[in-house]
Amino acid sequence: MLKYIFLIVGFILLIKGADFFVDGSSSVAKRLRVPPIIIGMTIVAMGTSLPETSVSVTASLAAKNDLAISNVIGSNIFNLMVVCGLCALLCPLDVEGSTLKRDFPFSIVMAGLLMTVGGMDGLVGRADGIILLIIFIIFLLIMIYSAKKSRDNASLSDDEYKIMPVWKCMLFMVAGIAAIAAGGEMVVQGASDIARTFGMSENLIGMTIVALGTSLPELVTSVVAAKKNELDMALGNVIGSNIFNILFVLGIASTISPVSFTQENFIDSAVLIAMSMTVLVLCLPRKRLVRWNGAAMLLIYAGYTAYIFSR
């Protein structure tokens, strides 16, 4: 029972820690007069991926590399097919032109790069991690530059994040980082113990339970937005999170400790690419995902989940 408690408490700490960190750091940015769109494109986008970062880095430090890489790939598939699929099912999901022309193809190329690098020698090494981080920095600079050029389309209003006292900002940021670190440790330990108890691989646990848990911030945020009919940038946010997971999360994890890349990881990466291309094709005609698209995406994910449990 203790391992399940560890896993659940770990997920709670990850999610609340990310919330605290985003609130605190966003308030600091507002005090420094950073434009809201820049806050959204950087701090908020990264904040929703902090759980994946914490789990993968902790797993890398603990030499549980199967969990590190399967968490990233599993989270990306879950974000794309379940988060976007559920949102499209609740309300037709508009897709920005820049997402279709730049971000979506780039996410597919990065998944292909990961599959190529890992498939060549069965390892994502330190040099590969550094390259991923360099690409991430370049991509982030491009996003910030684009955001500055289109501030009128900002997804965050000036009142989205209220300015808090400095002491409260620091408290939120420190508490958030501490909760994320502790939560990551508990999730990795709990998931590893569960895998050993049932004879399941860490790869399977990472692709399912851990991937779902670390994607809860994206899922909750998107579903709430769907109910409010505020989903014009939802797919773009998910694609941005997926790019962040591959370039930053895996970049950090593999720089700390080389991450093994198994045949199952290769197959899962290929599936991620195929699913991404499928969703892109669905979006292109009308620049939106309609309800039947969402239902199809959820069914595809259900079928894939059944496959990874049976392999």
Side-chain angles (χ1 to χ4, degrees), residues 180-200:
I180 290 165
E185 180 69 32
M186 294 176 75
V187 166
V188 170
Q189 187 63 51
S192 299
D193 289 345
I194 291 171
R196 282 193 294 269
T197 300
F198 290 96
M200 301 167 68

Side-chain angles (χ1 to χ4, degrees), residues 33 37 52 59 97 103 139 155 165 181 198 212 229 263:
R33 299 186 181 278
I37 184 62
E52 288 91 340
D103 300 340
F139 179 74
S155 61
F198 290 96
L212 186 151
N229 199 28
Q263 183 178 1

Side-chain angles (χ1 to χ4, degrees), residues 69-90:
I69 198 161
S70 61
N71 172 46
V72 166
I73 299 174
S75 293
N76 280 13
I77 292 175
F78 185 89
N79 286 345
L80 182 65
M81 305 304 287
V82 177
V83 175
C84 285
L86 186 58
C87 290
L89 190 62
L90 293 173

